[in-house]
Amino acid sequence: MRAGEEKIYVDPVTRKPLRLVDEVRNGDEIVSGALVNAAGHRHEIRNGVPDLVYPYELPAVDAEALQKYEERADAYDRYLPLTFSTYGESEEAVRNAMIDKLDLKLDSIVLETGAGTGRDSEIIARRLGANGKLYIQDLSPSFLDKNLERMHGVAGRVEPALANGYHLPFADNTFDAYYHFGGINAFGDIKRAYAEMVRVVKPGGKVVVGDESMPPWLRQTEFGRVLMNSNPEFVYPLHLEMLPVEARKTRMEWIIGGVFWVIDFVVGEGEPKADFDFAIPGVRGGTHRTRYFGQLEGVTPEAKRLAYEARAKTGKSMHEWLDEVVREAAKRDLEK
């Protein structure tokens, strides 16, 4: 961790600033020490990498995933190219196409979670200029070590940390872009992970995220059944219902043999905006807002028939006729 970078991190629980203590430096590198929160909890820095993982005691699902990754870091990186060759795909072309979706600029500040052994991290870092920076995070120390070995030549643009993808140690609106590919299916709280993505990315920034899942139209084919039998991770469902309300211009694409998905979207602010108050032409009339908020208790079929006849006679829309009738009746009874 380079000196000064401690200021970008916040406590993953309270999102308050952290204090650097007991640091040992080698030039402008902080080799060891700790980042301390207000309650006194120490996030240790070892070999220049801060450990900002929260919860401090991982839930079972995350602990199991971490153990699996720790045990297979070497084999994972060695055999990962088989994922692409199985489907006759070019790993380089696929990864570059996904990273194209980030719309990076030379000075972009980017966060990559689940950075793994760095096959995407290296591509992202090489697209950044001297003023750009890539923050790489993973839950697995072994994977992050592999990642940093791959970063020769771009190390000055890369800042590593151990962290949980659904408890990010950054303030709101910190990054221009966010990237995550692979492993999100195993997160203990996927919905919270998406909420964290849009929290730390500036409005107008890009999010690109993907993982494996057999598409619904292939699950009953021999192709689908063979792959799901071989790799249960293809059984994971899609995340569409977990996407945040801030997602704008959302696109989904099936890649790598059509059994991996990638979603990209622009980060918006809150719910989408729309004009709900223009007068809707036609017999029914009203506005989108009055049709939703202005509903009254139902009436008998006879009363409804008479209302439609009266409305037709006046030439008003049903909204105008009902609004007038209800107002007049209410005033009349209130004045009694």
Side-chain angles (χ1 to χ4, degrees):
M1 184 173 80
R2 275 174 291 279
E5 288 296 340
E6 70 275 10
K7 297 176 183 177
I8 196 171
Y9 294 112
V10 300
D11 181 62
V13 187
T14 64
R15 298 177 190 161
K16 301 296 183 183
L18 294 163
R19 182 166 51 93
L20 177 65
V21 299
D22 302 331
E23 71 267 26
V24 175
R25 303 190 181 215
N26 180 12
D28 66 347
E29 293 287 327
I30 299 173
V31 178
S32 65
L35 296 169
V36 181
N37 67 15
H41 181 87
R42 290 172 63 94
H43 297 274
E44 299 293 338
I45 302 169
R46 301 181 184 90
N47 298 319
V49 178
D51 184 347
L52 291 152
V53 174
Y54 181 82
Y56 305 132
E57 184 174 341
L58 289 173
V61 64
D62 294 317
E64 290 170 9
L66 174 57
Q67 182 178 355
K68 180 179 72 173
Y69 291 138
E70 285 293 278
E71 293 172 351
R72 61 188 281 208
D74 288 332
Y76 179 91
D77 195 58
R78 188 181 314 121
Y79 297 120
L80 188 59
L82 290 175
T83 300
F84 298 86
S85 62
T86 298
Y87 308 103
E89 302 266 12
S90 162
E91 179 178 357
E92 181 181 6
V94 170
R95 292 190 185 279
N96 274 282
M98 288 192 292
I99 291 165
D100 286 345
K101 297 176 186 291
L102 288 170
D103 298 335
L104 296 177
K105 298 180 175 60
L106 290 176
D107 61 352
S108 291
I109 308 300
V110 186
L111 173 63
E112 181 189 6
T113 61
T117 59
R119 289 174 177 269
D120 290 318
S121 310
E122 183 179 21
I123 298 171
I124 295 171
R126 291 192 184 282
R127 294 196 185 190
L128 301 175
N131 294 323
K133 186 161 290 185
L134 170 64
Y135 290 80
I136 54 172
Q137 299 194 340
D138 203 284
L139 196 61
S140 166
S142 296
F143 271 50
L144 199 60
D145 286 346
K146 286 284 184 184
N147 190 311
L148 292 174
E149 288 175 11
R150 185 173 262 119
M151 291 297 107
H152 296 301
V154 292
R157 299 171 216 158
V158 177
E159 188 67 33
L162 293 167
N164 186 332
Y166 58 92
H167 287 284
L168 296 177
F170 298 105
D172 296 0
N173 305 331
T174 298
F175 298 99
D176 300 305
Y178 171 101
Y179 184 85
H180 182 109
F181 188 72
I184 193 170
N185 284 330
F187 276 23
D189 192 337
I190 297 172
K191 187 173 181 66
R192 181 185 173 93
Y194 282 106
E196 284 286 86
M197 294 175 198
V198 299
R199 181 183 69 79
V200 302
V201 173
K202 300 171 186 175
K206 286 296 297 289
V207 168
V208 177
V209 59
D211 209 342
E212 60 224 306
S213 178
M214 187 64 59
W217 59 88
L218 292 179
R219 292 197 170 218
Q220 298 308 314
T221 65
E222 181 179 80
F223 171 89
R225 291 196 300 269
V226 167
L227 285 172
M228 288 188 290
N229 177 71
S230 180
N231 182 359
E233 294 183 1
F234 284 122
V235 180
Y236 281 112
L238 296 176
H239 302 164
L240 295 179
E241 75 283 0
M242 299 184 189
L243 291 180
V245 298
E246 293 89 351
R248 306 283 193 272
K249 299 181 180 178
T250 305
R251 300 179 297 185
M252 184 173 191
E253 181 181 0
W254 293 91
I255 62 173
I256 315 175
V259 293
F260 286 74
W261 53 267
V262 60
I263 293 172
D264 69 287
F265 59 84
V266 175
V267 176
E269 296 183 80
E271 295 183 14
K273 301 293 189 297
D275 181 2
F276 291 157
D277 299 307
F278 68 90
I280 300 173
V283 170
R284 186 180 174 191
T287 68
H288 291 298
R289 198 177 303 279
T290 62
R291 288 181 180 186
Y292 182 80
F293 292 103
Q295 298 181 46
L296 299 175
E297 297 297 331
V299 297
T300 64
E302 176 65 12
K304 184 175 181 179
R305 181 185 64 79
L306 289 171
Y308 272 98
E309 290 180 359
R311 180 219 63 79
K313 186 173 182 179
T314 64
K316 300 174 182 176
S317 71
M318 181 56 75
H319 163 77
E320 294 171 320
W321 187 86
L322 277 173
D323 199 68
E324 183 179 308
V325 167
V326 171
R327 284 175 183 274
E328 290 178 355
K331 288 179 181 178
R332 182 192 65 227
D333 289 347
L334 289 170
E335 290 170 357
K336 286 183 180 179

